[in-house]
Amino acid sequence: MWSTHAHTHIYTVALGAVHTFHDTLRIPALPRNELPLSIRVLLEAAIRKCDDFYVRKEDVETILDWRRQQGSAEVPFSPARLLLQDFTGIPAMVDLAAMRDAVARQGGDPSQVNPKCPTDLIVDHALQIDFGKWPEIALKNQEKELIRNRERLQFFKWCSQAFKNVNVVPPDISAVHQVNLEYLCQAVQEHEDFVYPDSVVGTDSHTTMVNGLGILGWGVGGIESEAVMLGQPVTLTLPKVVGCKLLGSVNVLATSIDIVLGITKHLRQAGISGKFVEFFGPGVSQLSAPDRTTIANMCPEYNATVSFFPVDDVTLKHFKQANFSEEKLELVEAYLKAVKLFRSYQDLGEDPHYSEVIEIDLSSIVPHVSGPKRSQDRVEVSNMKKDFLNCLNEKVGFKGFHIPVEKQTTLMPFLHGSREYQLTHGSVVLAALISCTNNCNPSVMLAAGLLAKKAVGAGLSVRPYIQTSLAPGSGMVTHYLSASGVLPYFSQLGFEVVGYGCATCVGNTSPLPEAVVNAIKQGDLVACGVLSGSRHFEGRLCDCVRANYLASPPLVVAYAIAGTVSIDFETEPLGLTPEGKEVYLRDVWPSREEVQHTEENMVISSIFRELREKMKVNLEASEAELFPWDPKSTYIRCPPFFNKLTKELCEPQPMENAHALLFLGDMVTTDHISPAGSIARVSAAAKYLQSKRLTPREFNSYGARRGNDAVMTRGTFASIKLQNRFVGKAGPKTLHVPSGQIMDVFDAAERYQRDGIPLIILAGKKYGSGNSRDWAAKGPYLLGVRAVIAESFEKLHKNHLVAMGIAPLQFLPGQSADSLELSGKEKFSLCIPKDLSPGQEITVKTSTGKTFQVIASFENAVDMVFYKHGGILKFVARNALP
């Protein structure tokens, strides 16, 4: 299905020969080195995929004319491959399996429903931390995960056997971004006598890490990924490219995480939202490949699409460590040099033209942490104690907690085991070394391990009530930590390896000891979590931990030992030896030379060879063309998206007397719409699972159950942080307007649907901010929501709404629900014309007699096609019917 109408003319993949194509298009030859290297990758893909159907000659012309077209024209991009993690991979593959059923019901050939783009699905995000030093659980992590997750793993195995172009990487191998870096990156692809640049889009927010290896890639939503799987290119605005010139030398005390956060601060202040960032300058050569991937990983934090490091000699050395054969290395180097995608950062003559240039002096970067609520609020480590005390004094906001002065010295005693401890404001109760951002970088993890070794040698320890965990990004991390001899010292400090995958960052963390929770609540304490990740929204780690800081791995260990963030490391000791001698951070901090020596001797090609041997799935699964759905399964269900699928197109219908399901304010994130963490015991999803005779210990997380629409629909708007103006306090409740009852969002939606009442959502600014999540659009659709009226949308989430057939409607500039004096309790009637076009104004009439206009906030004609088909899934399915 979805033939790409293969061109009879094969356009050369060598950009050095693009002049031949220029002659065809009558475009003047480009000056040498004119295009940024990241744009050259877009150009190559457009030339190779040009078929005058998905990719037109005009698209190639637009990319060639980048200097004049940047920031305005839209262009297609066909990545070489697609990357899925299990959180979003499960629903994507479940939808394809359901599509096969629908095609079969209509008399089509289900075996023709396959990904057209090579797809790698990595099982990692299902990890749930529920064991450790308390309580003891008999089952080992790997055994328990296999038993608990067998249904999903069997489905994945069926996918790998039933679908062409699908490769499944089993659990306990690596986190998705690590697999991408260690196993899947090819630098250049070879296929059917073509050689072309490796590139990728993925449903993991860390997909951008591969840009550090000169491989163009970024994150997309689950819905977009399904389109890519079926051969459709990603559509993007031809980006402006910001050249980031690195100068100076790295401070010996600064880790790569400090460099990451320093560069992040500069780029966030530069206002580069939606742009490509491409690094150049002599300072780039000082950064190792892991340093570059760590920096590239953080680009979502400053809203860039990618942070691209073109391939150079440092990158080639990394590929050699990654067990590229000599023949492969020769091909990579020869090809990239031939098509001018290889860089010598010392050669200023190779610098291309950029939209703008930002210079950063690496020597100016000093150690920082980030928090206590937002990653953009950076704090110099030397100023940490003072800053935390200021946070206690400030009004409640992005940094403040507004703790009265007389209560700032509160001490809360509690018993843990048989010993008494005390908590106060700033006490660390959670310290996590986790996957993403940091664990991919050997230098920072080895630095943390060497610090742990020195600390244990000095007689220091971590208080036993602090919840510590080590979730490495991959087996490679465990291997080199073990080989370097530091892993036992992590263990002695309580940092046990809990598994491989996203854990604390996505809310998968075990409860704190009850005595600790009680002490925090009784003292109204601002307790702290310290983690080496890239996400720390308030309440995501643990409801009672209000202050959370992102820090480099060695600083996570240091703060765990200190037991507080309210410490000046320069003047206050980290702890005392058994003999009572003061030990300062400087006494145990490893030198840059120590770290580099250990890294050079431990991160070797044998690590990659060993882990590659583990990438095998040993689960039995059906080989049938159609998936044998198990009606008893609580993990995998056939979704209802195609229940009424017909060949005929159903035009959008007017919405008469619709009710507002929710009345929301500004900055409603996808975390609010579709939580990824644990399933609360009193939630609608919990009630459903209990009806299936599951106990709370068997609930797992929302992420693990994304293949079950019944769970995910009930989990929509189930966040405890959701602020619904109908209710007046945070929580997953809403007002059922006709009855005047307050009830769970799902129960209200179900009641509206039972009564045949269409639903809308009223919202403020930046609706749908945060991580890309397909269920943040699928869930509202299954709740019966057909339009969202907001002051503004996050663009990616808006695209997802359109892809599910939900109309994104925007208040006129300067207007809002408040300015229009809407209570949200009115009935709303929207007349949506059949010839609706992007930007068209639609009249909304309310039952109170008020009339106002909203804007159809669609991006382009493609959006309109998807919307009129009832979403991209139905659009794709209809095209697969005979």
Side-chain angles (χ1 to χ4, degrees), residues 673-737:
I673 304 170
S674 182
S678 59
I679 299 172
R681 297 189 180 193
V682 296
S683 65
K687 295 174 186 176
Y688 166 80
L689 293 173
Q690 287 170 337
S691 75
K692 300 296 181 180
R693 299 186 177 182
L694 296 183
T695 66
R697 290 196 65 82
E698 298 172 303
F699 286 175
N700 212 321
S701 65
Y702 283 112
R705 294 191 180 274
R706 286 193 174 185
N708 185 328
D709 64 277
V711 171
M712 296 308 297
T713 305
R714 287 166 172 80
T716 303
F717 296 110
S719 169
I720 61 171
K721 297 294 183 180
L722 181 70
Q723 294 282 354
N724 181 7
R725 294 173 64 176
F726 281 152
V727 180
K729 62 179 180 180
K733 300 288 185 179
T734 195
L735 171 69
H736 180 256
V737 176

Side-chain angles (χ1 to χ4, degrees), residues 522-586:
Q522 291 171 14
D524 191 27
L525 300 179
V526 180
C528 299
V530 186
L531 63 152
S532 59
S534 62
R535 294 287 193 278
H536 64 345
F537 295 127
E538 185 180 8
R540 179 185 265 195
L541 305 187
C542 185
D543 291 346
C544 63
V545 180
R546 286 191 274 173
N548 298 293
Y549 289 91
L550 302 181
S552 65
L555 283 176
V556 171
V557 176
Y559 281 114
I561 294 171
T564 180
V565 300
S566 185
I567 181 174
D568 182 345
F569 285 130
E570 288 294 321
T571 61
E572 298 177 69
L574 201 60
L576 302 175
T577 67
E579 296 76 27
K581 180 182 177 182
E582 293 181 340
V583 179
Y584 290 83
L585 180 60
R586 57 180 172 270

Side-chain angles (χ1 to χ4, degrees), residues 573-782:
L574 201 60
L576 302 175
T577 67
E579 296 76 27
K581 180 182 177 182
E582 293 181 340
V583 179
Y584 290 83
L585 180 60
R586 57 180 172 270
D587 299 326
V588 294
W589 189 272
S591 69
R592 194 171 182 82
E593 290 71 26
E594 287 179 274
V595 174
Q596 290 178 343
H597 175 77
T598 306
E599 180 179 13
E600 290 168 1
N601 286 275
M602 297 306 144
V603 184
I604 54 178
S605 59
S606 62
I607 297 172
F608 292 91
R609 285 196 299 267
E610 179 179 331
L611 293 180
R612 286 176 190 272
E613 293 298 317
K614 298 172 63 178
M615 295 182 62
K616 297 176 182 179
V617 178
N618 295 312
L619 286 172
E620 296 181 0
S622 169
E623 297 184 6
E625 289 184 345
L626 300 179
F627 182 68
W629 306 98
D630 180 359
K632 296 180 181 179
S633 174
T634 58
Y635 280 104
I636 305 294
R637 263 178 45 120
C638 185
F641 300 123
F642 308 102
N643 286 357
K644 298 181 181 179
L645 179 70
T646 61
K647 183 68 175 179
E648 294 74 28
L649 175 64
C650 297
E651 296 287 351
Q653 300 297 314
M655 281 179 269
E656 297 290 340
N657 296 318
H659 274 291
L661 177 63
L662 296 157
F663 190 5
L664 306 173
D666 297 338
M667 289 297 293
V668 174
T669 71
T670 51
D671 264 17
H672 294 124
I673 304 170
S674 182
S678 59
I679 299 172
R681 297 189 180 193
V682 296
S683 65
K687 295 174 186 176
Y688 166 80
L689 293 173
Q690 287 170 337
S691 75
K692 300 296 181 180
R693 299 186 177 182
L694 296 183
T695 66
R697 290 196 65 82
E698 298 172 303
F699 286 175
N700 212 321
S701 65
Y702 283 112
R705 294 191 180 274
R706 286 193 174 185
N708 185 328
D709 64 277
V711 171
M712 296 308 297
T713 305
R714 287 166 172 80
T716 303
F717 296 110
S719 169
I720 61 171
K721 297 294 183 180
L722 181 70
Q723 294 282 354
N724 181 7
R725 294 173 64 176
F726 281 152
V727 180
K729 62 179 180 180
K733 300 288 185 179
T734 195
L735 171 69
H736 180 256
V737 176
S739 68
Q741 292 180 298
I742 300 294
M743 57 182 69
D744 286 340
V745 174
F746 173 80
D747 293 336
E750 188 177 45
R751 191 163 173 180
Y752 281 125
Q753 291 194 72
R754 190 166 57 241
D755 295 336
I757 298 175
L759 295 173
I760 66 170
I761 290 173
L762 296 175
K765 301 179 181 69
K766 293 290 184 180
Y767 179 80
S769 300
N771 293 351
S772 168
R773 289 186 183 162
D774 58 341
W775 274 106
K778 289 179 178 178
Y781 174 83
L782 292 180

Side-chain angles (χ1 to χ4, degrees), residues 442-474:
S443 66
V444 290
M445 285 304 295
L446 289 172
L450 292 172
L451 189 150
K453 181 179 180 179
K454 290 187 174 187
V456 170
L460 302 181
S461 62
V462 175
R463 294 163 180 81
Y465 61 81
I466 297 177
Q467 181 181 304
T468 49
S469 61
L470 170 57
S474 72

Side-chain angles (χ1 to χ4, degrees), residues 186-188 190 311-337 342:
Q186 296 297 311
V188 298
E190 301 174 75
V311 174
D312 68 341
D313 289 329
V314 173
T315 322
L316 290 181
K317 289 179 182 178
H318 171 80
F319 288 141
K320 187 173 183 178
Q321 277 192 331
N323 283 332
F324 275 32
S325 66
E326 287 299 325
E327 182 181 5
K328 176 73 172 182
L329 286 171
E330 290 176 4
L331 173 65
V332 169
E333 184 173 3
Y335 171 75
L336 294 180
K337 286 183 176 179
F342 190 90

Side-chain angles (χ1 to χ4, degrees), residues 420-437:
E420 183 176 282
Y421 297 90
Q422 291 182 325
L423 292 180
T424 187
H425 296 289
S427 291
V428 173
V429 296
L430 187 153
L433 297 171
I434 56 182
S435 61
C436 79
T437 304

Side-chain angles (χ1 to χ4, degrees), residues 15-88:
L15 296 182
V18 78
H19 297 293
T20 302
F21 197 67
H22 284 181
D23 295 338
T24 304
L25 299 177
R26 303 171 190 247
I27 292 178
L30 287 171
R32 186 184 180 192
N33 299 331
E34 174 77 15
L35 292 178
L37 277 71
S38 52
I39 298 299
R40 298 178 202 181
V41 178
L42 296 181
L43 175 61
E44 186 282 330
I47 295 172
R48 178 166 39 86
K49 289 290 187 177
C50 185
D51 57 8
D52 284 330
F53 182 69
Y54 286 129
V55 183
R56 303 165 302 158
K57 290 182 180 180
E58 291 81 4
D59 296 320
V60 179
E61 293 174 343
T62 297
I63 300 174
L64 284 168
D65 195 23
W66 170 78
R67 287 194 66 174
R68 288 186 295 180
Q69 300 288 344
Q70 58 179 302
S72 57
E74 289 196 339
V75 295
F77 173 57
S78 299
R81 54 190 173 89
L82 174 68
L83 183 71
L84 299 175
Q85 43 90 333
D86 54 0
F87 266 16
T88 45

